[in-house]
mmCIF file of all heavy atoms in Angstrom:
data_model
loop_
_atom_site.group_PDB
_atom_site.id
_atom_site.type_symbol
_atom_site.label_atom_id
_atom_site.label_comp_id
_atom_site.label_asym_id
_atom_site.label_seq_id
_atom_site.Cartn_x
_atom_site.Cartn_y
_atom_site.Cartn_z
ATOM 1 N N ARG A 31 135.969 154.562 54.845
ATOM 2 C CA ARG A 31 135.903 153.187 55.108
ATOM 3 C C ARG A 31 136.757 152.826 56.394
ATOM 4 O O ARG A 31 137.335 151.740 56.402
ATOM 5 C CB ARG A 31 136.369 152.362 53.877
ATOM 6 C CG ARG A 31 135.510 152.584 52.713
ATOM 7 C CD ARG A 31 134.208 151.777 52.821
ATOM 8 N NE ARG A 31 133.582 151.712 51.640
ATOM 9 C CZ ARG A 31 133.431 150.559 50.780
ATOM 10 N NH1 ARG A 31 134.051 149.512 51.211
ATOM 11 N NH2 ARG A 31 132.844 150.561 49.715
ATOM 12 N N GLN A 32 136.719 153.755 57.513
ATOM 13 C CA GLN A 32 137.611 153.519 58.567
ATOM 14 C C GLN A 32 137.092 152.248 59.351
ATOM 15 O O GLN A 32 137.937 151.633 60.132
ATOM 16 C CB GLN A 32 137.685 154.652 59.476
ATOM 17 C CG GLN A 32 136.441 155.176 60.101
ATOM 18 C CD GLN A 32 136.665 156.588 60.767
ATOM 19 O OE1 GLN A 32 137.516 157.395 60.378
ATOM 20 N NE2 GLN A 32 135.787 156.884 61.705
ATOM 21 N N ALA A 33 135.727 151.890 59.290
ATOM 22 C CA ALA A 33 135.296 150.626 59.991
ATOM 23 C C ALA A 33 135.202 149.656 58.748
ATOM 24 O O ALA A 33 134.562 149.915 57.825
ATOM 25 C CB ALA A 33 133.951 150.800 60.532
ATOM 26 N N TYR A 40 136.602 144.024 63.279
ATOM 27 C CA TYR A 40 135.465 144.103 62.276
ATOM 28 C C TYR A 40 135.028 142.813 61.710
ATOM 29 O O TYR A 40 133.933 142.390 61.751
ATOM 30 C CB TYR A 40 135.747 145.032 61.113
ATOM 31 C CG TYR A 40 134.756 144.971 59.932
ATOM 32 C CD1 TYR A 40 133.487 145.665 60.153
ATOM 33 C CD2 TYR A 40 134.952 144.220 58.919
ATOM 34 C CE1 TYR A 40 132.536 145.565 59.210
ATOM 35 C CE2 TYR A 40 134.007 144.058 57.862
ATOM 36 C CZ TYR A 40 132.749 144.745 58.051
ATOM 37 O OH TYR A 40 131.796 144.620 57.049
ATOM 38 N N ARG A 44 131.436 141.004 62.021
ATOM 39 C CA ARG A 44 130.712 140.622 60.703
ATOM 40 C C ARG A 44 130.382 139.042 60.742
ATOM 41 O O ARG A 44 129.278 138.750 60.378
ATOM 42 C CB ARG A 44 131.585 140.960 59.571
ATOM 43 C CG ARG A 44 130.810 140.796 58.235
ATOM 44 C CD ARG A 44 131.849 140.894 57.071
ATOM 45 N NE ARG A 44 131.349 140.966 55.739
ATOM 46 C CZ ARG A 44 130.807 139.840 55.189
ATOM 47 N NH1 ARG A 44 130.646 138.663 55.863
ATOM 48 N NH2 ARG A 44 130.308 139.962 53.936
ATOM 49 N N PHE A 50 126.773 140.689 55.742
ATOM 50 C CA PHE A 50 127.081 142.185 55.809
ATOM 51 C C PHE A 50 125.682 142.957 56.033
ATOM 52 O O PHE A 50 125.652 143.891 56.800
ATOM 53 C CB PHE A 50 127.724 142.639 54.523
ATOM 54 C CG PHE A 50 127.881 144.114 54.444
ATOM 55 C CD1 PHE A 50 128.790 144.865 55.268
ATOM 56 C CD2 PHE A 50 127.039 144.898 53.550
ATOM 57 C CE1 PHE A 50 128.880 146.136 55.120
ATOM 58 C CE2 PHE A 50 127.221 146.244 53.467
ATOM 59 C CZ PHE A 50 128.119 146.807 54.193
ATOM 60 N N SER A 80 127.117 151.654 57.614
ATOM 61 C CA SER A 80 126.035 151.287 56.759
ATOM 62 C C SER A 80 126.625 151.110 55.259
ATOM 63 O O SER A 80 127.779 150.874 55.192
ATOM 64 C CB SER A 80 124.856 152.325 56.692
ATOM 65 O OG SER A 80 123.799 151.865 56.171
ATOM 66 N N ASP A 81 125.853 151.256 54.294
ATOM 67 C CA ASP A 81 126.265 151.196 52.996
ATOM 68 C C ASP A 81 125.449 152.094 52.036
ATOM 69 O O ASP A 81 124.351 152.440 52.421
ATOM 70 C CB ASP A 81 126.241 149.729 52.352
ATOM 71 C CG ASP A 81 127.130 149.590 51.115
ATOM 72 O OD1 ASP A 81 128.382 149.612 51.376
ATOM 73 O OD2 ASP A 81 126.632 149.632 49.996
ATOM 74 N N PHE A 95 125.357 140.252 49.129
ATOM 75 C CA PHE A 95 126.813 140.422 48.849
ATOM 76 C C PHE A 95 127.421 138.990 48.689
ATOM 77 O O PHE A 95 127.146 138.110 49.480
ATOM 78 C CB PHE A 95 127.401 141.044 50.060
ATOM 79 C CG PHE A 95 127.274 142.541 50.172
ATOM 80 C CD1 PHE A 95 126.135 143.036 50.661
ATOM 81 C CD2 PHE A 95 128.159 143.403 49.563
ATOM 82 C CE1 PHE A 95 125.822 144.449 50.612
ATOM 83 C CE2 PHE A 95 127.899 144.775 49.571
ATOM 84 C CZ PHE A 95 126.799 145.326 49.985
ATOM 85 N N TYR A 158 124.789 151.185 40.013
ATOM 86 C CA TYR A 158 124.606 149.832 40.595
ATOM 87 C C TYR A 158 123.222 149.247 40.321
ATOM 88 O O TYR A 158 123.088 148.066 40.039
ATOM 89 C CB TYR A 158 124.748 149.820 42.196
ATOM 90 C CG TYR A 158 126.193 150.039 42.618
ATOM 91 C CD1 TYR A 158 126.727 151.323 42.896
ATOM 92 C CD2 TYR A 158 127.009 148.942 42.646
ATOM 93 C CE1 TYR A 158 128.060 151.397 43.267
ATOM 94 C CE2 TYR A 158 128.388 149.113 43.053
ATOM 95 C CZ TYR A 158 128.871 150.353 43.322
ATOM 96 O OH TYR A 158 130.219 150.495 43.688
ATOM 97 N N SER A 164 128.675 145.793 40.793
ATOM 98 C CA SER A 164 129.886 146.605 40.381
ATOM 99 C C SER A 164 130.138 146.509 38.865
ATOM 100 O O SER A 164 129.669 145.565 38.255
ATOM 101 C CB SER A 164 131.118 146.124 41.095
ATOM 102 O OG SER A 164 130.961 146.101 42.422
ATOM 103 N N PHE A 211 128.830 160.281 48.565
ATOM 104 C CA PHE A 211 129.882 159.535 47.742
ATOM 105 C C PHE A 211 129.479 159.402 46.335
ATOM 106 O O PHE A 211 128.618 158.695 45.994
ATOM 107 C CB PHE A 211 130.019 158.204 48.473
ATOM 108 C CG PHE A 211 130.767 158.122 49.779
ATOM 109 C CD1 PHE A 211 130.009 158.168 50.913
ATOM 110 C CD2 PHE A 211 132.101 158.051 49.767
ATOM 111 C CE1 PHE A 211 130.708 158.125 52.081
ATOM 112 C CE2 PHE A 211 132.709 157.901 50.986
ATOM 113 C CZ PHE A 211 132.039 158.037 52.198
ATOM 114 N N THR A 213 131.157 158.034 43.797
ATOM 115 C CA THR A 213 132.281 157.185 43.493
ATOM 116 C C THR A 213 132.581 157.127 41.970
ATOM 117 O O THR A 213 133.677 156.917 41.589
ATOM 118 C CB THR A 213 132.062 155.870 44.231
ATOM 119 O OG1 THR A 213 131.869 156.020 45.626
ATOM 120 C CG2 THR A 213 133.385 154.983 44.057
ATOM 121 N N HIS A 331 140.599 157.862 48.779
ATOM 122 C CA HIS A 331 139.489 156.912 48.637
ATOM 123 C C HIS A 331 139.544 155.982 49.795
ATOM 124 O O HIS A 331 140.300 156.192 50.622
ATOM 125 C CB HIS A 331 139.665 156.139 47.293
ATOM 126 C CG HIS A 331 138.383 155.401 46.777
ATOM 127 N ND1 HIS A 331 138.312 154.311 45.992
ATOM 128 C CD2 HIS A 331 136.965 155.632 47.202
ATOM 129 C CE1 HIS A 331 137.035 153.982 45.857
ATOM 130 N NE2 HIS A 331 136.252 154.729 46.529
HETATM 131 O O1 1CP B 401 132.407 141.973 53.200
HETATM 132 C C1 1CP B 401 132.211 143.038 53.878
HETATM 133 O O2 1CP B 401 132.322 143.082 55.102
HETATM 134 C C2 1CP B 401 131.551 144.185 53.193
HETATM 135 C C3 1CP B 401 132.562 145.342 52.904
HETATM 136 C C4 1CP B 401 131.786 146.650 52.986
HETATM 137 C C5 1CP B 401 131.857 147.581 53.996
HETATM 138 C C6 1CP B 401 132.841 147.529 55.230
HETATM 139 C C7 1CP B 401 130.764 147.076 52.121
HETATM 140 C C8 1CP B 401 130.209 146.446 50.903
HETATM 141 N N1 1CP B 401 130.314 148.310 52.581
HETATM 142 C C9 1CP B 401 131.020 148.642 53.713
HETATM 143 C C10 1CP B 401 130.743 149.794 54.616
HETATM 144 C C11 1CP B 401 130.713 151.114 53.925
HETATM 145 N N2 1CP B 401 130.412 151.348 52.581
HETATM 146 C C12 1CP B 401 130.729 152.356 54.592
HETATM 147 C C13 1CP B 401 130.692 152.640 56.124
HETATM 148 C C14 1CP B 401 132.091 152.287 56.704
HETATM 149 C C15 1CP B 401 133.186 153.335 56.928
HETATM 150 O O3 1CP B 401 133.231 154.205 56.138
HETATM 151 O O4 1CP B 401 133.664 153.255 58.029
HETATM 152 C C16 1CP B 401 130.672 153.378 53.638
HETATM 153 C C17 1CP B 401 130.831 154.924 53.751
HETATM 154 C C18 1CP B 401 130.495 152.698 52.421
HETATM 155 C C19 1CP B 401 130.219 153.431 51.190
HETATM 156 C C20 1CP B 401 130.168 152.758 49.890
HETATM 157 N N3 1CP B 401 129.728 151.430 49.534
HETATM 158 C C21 1CP B 401 130.656 153.258 48.611
HETATM 159 C C22 1CP B 401 131.180 154.701 48.568
HETATM 160 C C23 1CP B 401 132.551 154.852 49.054
HETATM 161 C C24 1CP B 401 133.675 154.204 48.235
HETATM 162 O O5 1CP B 401 134.406 153.431 48.749
HETATM 163 O O6 1CP B 401 133.670 154.700 47.044
HETATM 164 C C25 1CP B 401 130.447 152.296 47.680
HETATM 165 C C26 1CP B 401 130.830 152.483 46.104
HETATM 166 C C27 1CP B 401 129.882 151.211 48.181
HETATM 167 C C28 1CP B 401 129.337 150.011 47.598
HETATM 168 C C29 1CP B 401 129.890 148.729 48.207
HETATM 169 N N4 1CP B 401 129.604 148.173 49.348
HETATM 170 C C30 1CP B 401 130.366 147.170 49.697
HETATM 171 C C31 1CP B 401 131.401 147.082 48.841
HETATM 172 C C32 1CP B 401 132.513 146.113 48.694
HETATM 173 C C33 1CP B 401 131.234 148.170 47.795
HETATM 174 C C34 1CP B 401 132.073 148.551 46.561
HETATM 175 C C35 1CP B 401 131.686 147.714 45.373
HETATM 176 C C36 1CP B 401 132.413 148.289 44.220
HETATM 177 O O7 1CP B 401 133.667 148.452 44.244
HETATM 178 O O8 1CP B 401 131.811 148.435 43.144
#
Side-chain angles (χ1 to χ4, degrees):
R31 298 284 192 105
Q32 63 191 23
Y40 168 82
R44 187 192 188 286
F50 174 72
S80 189
D81 197 74
F95 284 85
Y158 286 97
S164 305
F211 285 93
T213 306
H331 196 204

